[in-house]
Amino acid sequence: MMKPMEKVLNFLKSITGRGAEGRLSFTAMFARFRQVLDNHNRAAEIIADMGDKLGGEYIFDINYIKSAYAELHRRLSVSLSDFDVLTRHRYARIGEVFDRIDGEIRRLVYDEGAASGDLVVFYGDITWSMAREVGGKNANLADLKNNLHVNVPDAFAVTTHAFDAFMKQNGIDAKIAALAPDKGIGEKELREIRDAIDAGALPPALENALSSALAKIGTGCGRDCFIAVRSSAEDEDGRHSFAGQFETVLNVPLDLGKVGAAYKKVIAGLFSDKACAYLLQSGYHIGNMKMAAACVLMVDAEASGVVYSTDPGGSGDTLMINATWGLGRSVVEGQTDADFYSVKKGSGAEIAETRIGQKASLITGRKSGGTSTVPTSADRKAKEALTKTQILELSERALQIEKYFRQPQDIEWAVDGAGKLFILQSRPLRARDEQGPAAGPAPGAPDSKILMRARGFAVQKGSGAGRAFVLKNRNDLDGFPKGAVLIARNDSSDFIRVMPYAAAIITDIGTPTSHMASLCREFRVPAIVNAGNASGILKHGQEITVNIDDENSVTVYEGIARGILEHAGRKTSVSMEDIYEFRKKRYVLRFISPLNLIDPLLDNFSPEGCKTMHDILRFIHEKSVVELVESARYGLKGHAAVKLDLPIPAGIMAVDIGGGLDAAAGRKGKDGTLAFEHILSIPLKAVLKGMMHPGVWHSEAVSLRAQDFLSSMMRMPDIASANDDFVEHNVAIVSREYMHLSLRFGYHFNMLDCYCSENTRDNHIYFRFTGGATDMTKRSRRIQLIAIILKEYGFNIRVKGDLIIGRLSNIRQDDMEATLDRIGRLIGYTRQLDALLHDDNRVEQYARNFLQEDYTL
Amino acid sequence: MGKNRIMVIDDEKIVGDMAKMSLEQDGYAVETFLNGETALARLSEQKFDVVVTDLKMKGIDGMEVLRTVKKLYPATRVIMITAFANLDAAIEALRGDVHDFFPKPVKIKELKASIERALEKEKN
């Protein structure tokens, strides 16, 4: 007889589709989940399409961006609203984050007014999406500090918002607006602007912000310290270097008046005659560009100088270093005969050439501020400013930065009295091949043997060469050598860890809208997915050259084919970056495409961690799956369960929520059970096939030792209370593509939630295993064994004591089915295995046996 | 023999900039215009082999450019580019003896191939 409370609950559920806790009925939940997925997929396609169309191979206009973004926005809005219902408003913050990012995008797309941002930002708080407001130099340095963890001195940016505020307060913006660029801007007008800046007063808010920043940087410094105030214009150190066009004021004391004066000098530099000439030549309009400033703590430099991560005069395999005593300005401005080193690139870098300069004078910081040039002491003149160890450290750092920015860099550096290396600036180095003529047809590679040629989805076209790194096990990624070509069976967003160092990536299986694919586009790593059997054909460690072309095909040559690499360096898409309008319009992708939320197990996997539309998409997807998994446990009431008639005593009851079972009249056996052939659910069929695989299911009981038995008795109440409704049964909730399987065998629980359809992006497997009859040590060993096997299958796993959670997503249906078959075998195989795991050695042994399809116990 | 001359007309600067950058790489002489008026004025003083024009522009639009070119400079081929939403109008343009038309975004490679075909036709 139904209890009154239960009646009320059922009634509520019947009219609202919800339980008393506000939880949707499982069917309603599942329908929402499907809607989230549908919109999610369409949004992912739009993001991929925008990346493609704005990649330099299409001529596009603002209408395209507007209409594509409108559709993306619509899809995400719908997806978010379904997600909100699905998760019962638990992630309300995601809506705010979405609105904020939307605001940034609208500002760019519709040229809406600049957002009022901070006047001063410390490097630790600079994200790449702030590149325009902090200027190129700040953005590059902060990027190196925050993401590549390069040693950069403490520093803060005075943003373009400060620039706007200063110009407005002093009425200079109006003066600039009144200039008529068509008629040419004369030296007189520019001088007037510079004078007005010099005479201008800092806005009070900027004075306050600067005061606090100076106090903070002074506290961190802990000695008499000085800063360098340097230019950091919006596009500086990007495609156009503006090298030497703007102002730098070195060794400024931490005094508001002095820093304010240096700041004004730096922003006035934007209106110098030479800077304006450069701007015009580069296709900018005077007055359109804004100037931020970099305030960088001075390094008490023992030696300093410049490194070119690729020698522009060499054949591409050497880098060059110039070094001198004291501050590096003398090198930058060519004032001294500095030491010169040519270093061979590649692993085991070696110094190929050394020329010791005379270094007649050096620049030092004065105690009162400013710098002075003094003669170098006789004993130091002919002495090398760097030790061999320092040269190699600097070379390694330069190559790392080149890889990170994906092009040769012009880097300023300094070494302090304690021998510590600091990076002070990094900007693209104009290499020779950029002046080359139009790309002709790809040159043949008569000297190179073709190892493979295959078609797939070109994610990022281009070429790369290096040693093949064939990834067999996800854990091996830690050993990925810099500059290698990554070859893997499946794609994975885990590859982000090696992307800055990878010459190219090829996967046998994968989709062009995967997270990895978008990361490759963001990092411009040549990559192709779904390219057949590369991991089988290519040998680990062999030198190869990869060329991914316009026709979605990949050719892999034996050895390093220079002709191919040089040709790829002169593609149309590269030179498009020279067009200001192109860069400006393409900039919107920064708020759309990059993926920052990689690993759901990390702390930044939160609404606050979302920086782009792609992040929001990823967040919604991951949390929807988790929600579905949770809800499946509650969703059984009101559905008829059918017992499955299987050749193994697995005792599974199945509940069909749509197309999962063929339970029509006459299908069931006399005892009301349903045979295997009447199961229509793709994932359930696959996993049962595995469980029924010959030799996997051991029906004879493995004997428990007395201690294990005692251990199981102690834990009994805990287990019994975990699933009170269906404690006697194993349950599968299924539709044609979906399965939620909840199993209890003896004392352990195993849960499997998956979606398996033709649409690769929709597919996921969520695996959870916990408990056991034996003591904690043995149970943990079984977990270790499962971890080894799941990792081998490409799962992302988390282990806590005797609990393991594994996730796998974005895999093709046929691979899903094969993986589920193996998981089915694993379920059968590990049922009683803990009792046999007497020592750690057996873990490896049984895991190996299982992977070799030896299922004997 | 001199370079083939291409005129690109679009009221959005990026379209002309990108077209100029990629076509000059293939050895064409390219001039870009932001409206139909200045473009037609230039046509009256300089012969162009191919005109690539946007359809929808303020003032003299792409259809009018097409009609004028066909009437006054029949040897010059016209390629129309248009936002997807204006596809019907573009089909209308096809009836007006346009050499080719493309919805935006236009794949540069395809535009180049179309220009090559237009020049072949002109030779014949």
Side-chain angles (χ1 to χ4, degrees), chain A residues 168-356:
Chain A
K168 189 163 184 216
Q169 168 169 305
N170 295 291
I172 306 168
D173 54 343
K175 278 195 176 71
I176 293 169
L179 295 174
D182 298 348
K183 297 187 184 115
I185 298 166
E187 290 176 14
K188 181 171 161 281
E189 286 92 345
L190 291 174
R191 194 168 50 246
E192 280 171 11
I193 292 172
R194 292 199 299 271
D195 289 348
I197 291 173
D198 187 38
L202 297 190
L206 178 56
E207 280 195 334
N208 287 339
L210 272 178
S211 284
S212 318
L214 291 174
K216 187 174 163 189
I217 209 167
T219 313
C221 171
R223 56 180 161 86
D224 271 354
C225 44
F226 299 86
I227 55 172
V229 183
R230 315 185 67 177
S231 64
S232 182
E234 273 179 322
D235 266 9
E236 191 177 349
D237 292 357
R239 192 64 191 170
H240 295 285
S241 69
F242 295 92
Q245 305 302 315
F246 298 135
E247 286 290 337
T248 288
V249 186
L250 291 176
N251 219 44
V252 183
L254 302 186
D255 168 271
L256 182 61
K258 299 209 161 93
V259 171
Y263 171 70
K264 288 196 286 186
K265 194 170 174 196
V266 164
I267 60 173
L270 185 58
F271 302 96
S272 73
D273 299 340
K274 67 171 178 179
C276 285
Y278 186 99
L279 283 174
L280 290 171
Q281 270 171 29
S282 311
Y284 292 89
H285 302 292
I286 309 292
N288 272 4
M289 187 181 276
K290 295 172 183 178
M291 178 69 88
C295 295
V296 185
L297 204 59
M298 290 291 293
V299 174
D300 201 359
E302 184 72 8
S304 46
V306 171
V307 49
Y308 282 0
S309 66
T310 295
D311 182 347
S315 55
D317 54 358
T318 52
L319 60 86
M320 57 176 278
I321 297 171
N322 272 127
T324 190
W325 299 111
L327 300 178
R329 176 177 263 190
S330 49
V331 171
V332 179
E333 294 174 3
Q335 289 172 352
T336 189
D337 178 16
D339 298 341
F340 167 87
Y341 303 96
S342 174
V343 180
K344 263 201 140 10
K345 289 164 106 172
S347 55
E350 54 178 294
I351 302 169
E353 191 189 344
T354 303
R355 283 204 302 264
I356 308 303

